[in-house]
Amino acid sequence: EGIPEIPAELEAQVARYQNARSAHHFDWHPTRRELLIGTRFGDTTQIHVVTQPGGARRQLTFFPEPVRDAAFVPASGGASLVLLKDVGGSEMYQIFRTDLRDGSTTLLTDGESRNGAATFNHAGDRLAFTSTARNGKDYDIYLMDPADPASRSAVAEREGAWSVLDWSPDDTALLLRRYVSVEHSELH
């Protein structure tokens, strides 16, 4: 009450700052000089590819929900992606594989649990990730061949919030982080 009406001219001047866009790096193509980015040119953040410095982006996904993360599947030579997104704003993130040749998308996780921290091994044929599939609250560690969703298997059951950070150079061990609080995390 008692606040004067905002002039239309001021609204127009401020709009350019409110409608700023950003882009963030998702992954590098395994064999070509191409970059996967996430950016929003519509209602939600989607996956785009940029093929040269200063080049235009080309949109690869058109989901109603935002894509949270994405990576080329190295074993496919970059012909497919894995991506992380939820359905309907549930924040129950699922891992999907998208074939860039025909645009088909396949759900790789169970569609119900919360999944994340998906990281490829150095050979590019196995994906380590976390999932709450066991009990809905604890993040266990899983491995999967993204070309075969039935290969998904739990390799470590844990209590609390865990994430996969990296694979050892010989692909025999994983670097994990256990989140305890905003001030404390542990590496394992």
Side-chain angles (χ1 to χ4, degrees):
E1 288 183 30
I3 297 174
E5 190 173 318
I6 298 171
E9 179 183 310
L10 180 58
E11 273 188 74
Q13 289 175 351
V14 172
R16 65 183 169 159
Y17 298 104
Q18 292 176 322
N19 292 320
R21 292 191 176 113
S22 65
H24 50 278
H25 172 260
F26 280 147
D27 197 18
W28 290 101
H29 192 281
T31 61
R32 296 190 303 257
R33 190 175 170 178
E34 295 181 1
L35 175 69
L36 268 189
I37 63 169
T39 191
R40 184 177 153 178
F41 278 85
D43 294 334
T44 61
T45 297
Q46 296 296 313
I47 302 169
H48 302 255
V49 65
V50 178
T51 60
Q52 63 187 22
R57 52 127 191 112
R58 180 174 49 93
Q59 190 167 343
L60 300 177
T61 60
F62 298 86
F63 300 113
E65 297 88 5
V67 175
R68 183 178 175 102
D69 198 6
F72 287 106
V73 177
S76 76
S80 60
L81 309 170
V82 292
L83 58 98
L84 188 68
K85 71 176 188 70
D86 70 352
V87 175
S90 67
E91 295 189 8
M92 299 303 269
Y93 300 104
Q94 301 300 312
I95 301 172
F96 296 84
R97 184 186 67 245
T98 296
D99 187 317
L100 295 176
R101 295 168 291 218
D102 64 13
S104 63
T105 298
T106 304
L107 176 66
L108 300 179
T109 47
D110 64 9
E112 298 173 7
S113 59
R114 188 172 184 164
N115 303 274
T119 305
F120 277 101
N121 65 347
H122 296 284
D125 59 354
R126 286 186 298 158
L127 189 64
F129 64 98
T130 58
S131 180
T132 62
R134 176 173 51 95
N135 64 13
K137 65 176 184 154
D138 295 313
Y139 287 83
D140 298 328
I141 313 303
Y142 287 76
L143 294 180
M144 169 195 329
D145 173 353
D148 178 15
S151 69
R152 181 180 65 232
S153 65
V155 294
E157 290 184 356
R158 297 288 183 252
E159 290 184 12
W162 289 77
S163 57
V164 178
L165 299 179
D166 203 358
W167 290 76
S168 63
D170 63 358
D171 288 339
T172 62
L174 293 170
L175 176 62
L176 306 176
R177 177 179 53 213
R178 178 177 168 241
Y179 174 86
V180 179
S181 73
V182 71
E183 298 176 348
H184 181 75
S185 290
E186 302 167 353
L187 298 179
H188 296 265

